[in-house]
Amino acid sequence: MNEKKEEKTVEETEEEVEEEEKFEKYRKAGQIAVKVRKQLEQLVRVGTPVIEICNRVESLIKELGGSPAFPCNVSINNIAAHYTSPPNDETVLEDNSIVKVDFGVHVDGFIADTAITFDLNSGFEKLKEAAEEALRIAIENIKPGVKTNDIGKLIHEKIREYGYTPIRDLSGHLLDEYSLHGAKIIPNITLPHGEPIEVGEVYAVETFASTGSGTVHEKPYAYIYRILPVRIPVRFSSSRKLLKLASERFKGLPFAERWLVKDIPAIRLAIKELTTKGILYEYRVLADEKESMVAQAEHTVIVTEDGCEIITMDKGEEL
Ligand code: MN
Ligand code: MN
């Protein structure tokens, strides 16, 4: 019998090493996220100013050797996503509220994205549980070959079992180097079509349970932006300065107005020009209907041969 031993070429070996280095960076980002998650317990209390949470989370990420992959989001009650403190924010956490803290860490562009819901005597502790249980069942079922819409169906059913509504226009997403939202999504609802999940992919899996309509609308304000790959002339020097600083520092990842306000005195003017010209993408604050409550849970996973590895959780910690 002619047995041919498979030998790896130099290129294949180099590629494997590169892949492994990439996953090590994801894991490092994940470990930083785990530490920040633990600190949140003490920080998210009635009376804490929201800006203190945002600043603390972002500086902790840096102290631990990472960089914020996007501004820390603190979304209260019916706000589902994209709220970060504007400069001089005076918002304080109030009793009887539900607070989602969503943050991202990156190490050389490799991102760990995670979120926790805090129930400040909202009277909706089951809502938080619904989002968390939906996340658990989603993660338990992620493996190569399973389709993204099958995971969406599991999330949908779990949240409905609790008597709540999943938010249809927010989803889990593929992560990539300096890219927060890749081509594939993991929906929160049952959809007719999906794509197979593949080994080596990295997903931020996130679930949203709502007491409201399950759809979000855009508020008329934004505090988070991202530079789009558009090159057209700008009029104001502050706009040029913003473009230069933001592209150097954030490399296409989202950033907060709060992060640049000291360096760019006329920042509002710059933002106005750049968003009008389509050079800056603005992440409008997203909310479900008035008086509704929204809970979120999120972890980042690496898809393995037979399941997935949760990088934003300590080994041994229970989902
Ligand atoms: Mn997130
Ligand atoms: Mn996410």
Side-chain angles (χ1 to χ4, degrees), residues 70 102 113-114 171-173 175 180-181 204-206 296 298 300:
F70 53 85
D102 185 339
D113 181 2
T114 187
S171 331
H173 47 98
L175 293 166
L180 203 48
H181 290 91
V205 192
E206 55 188 308
Q296 176 198 15
E298 180 176 28
T300 296

Side-chain angles (χ1 to χ4, degrees), residues 243-260:
L243 282 178
K244 185 172 182 290
L245 286 184
S247 26
E248 281 169 6
R249 290 185 198 166
F250 317 123
K251 302 195 171 77
L253 287 171
F255 61 92
E257 182 185 340
R258 182 169 39 83
W259 291 357
L260 291 174

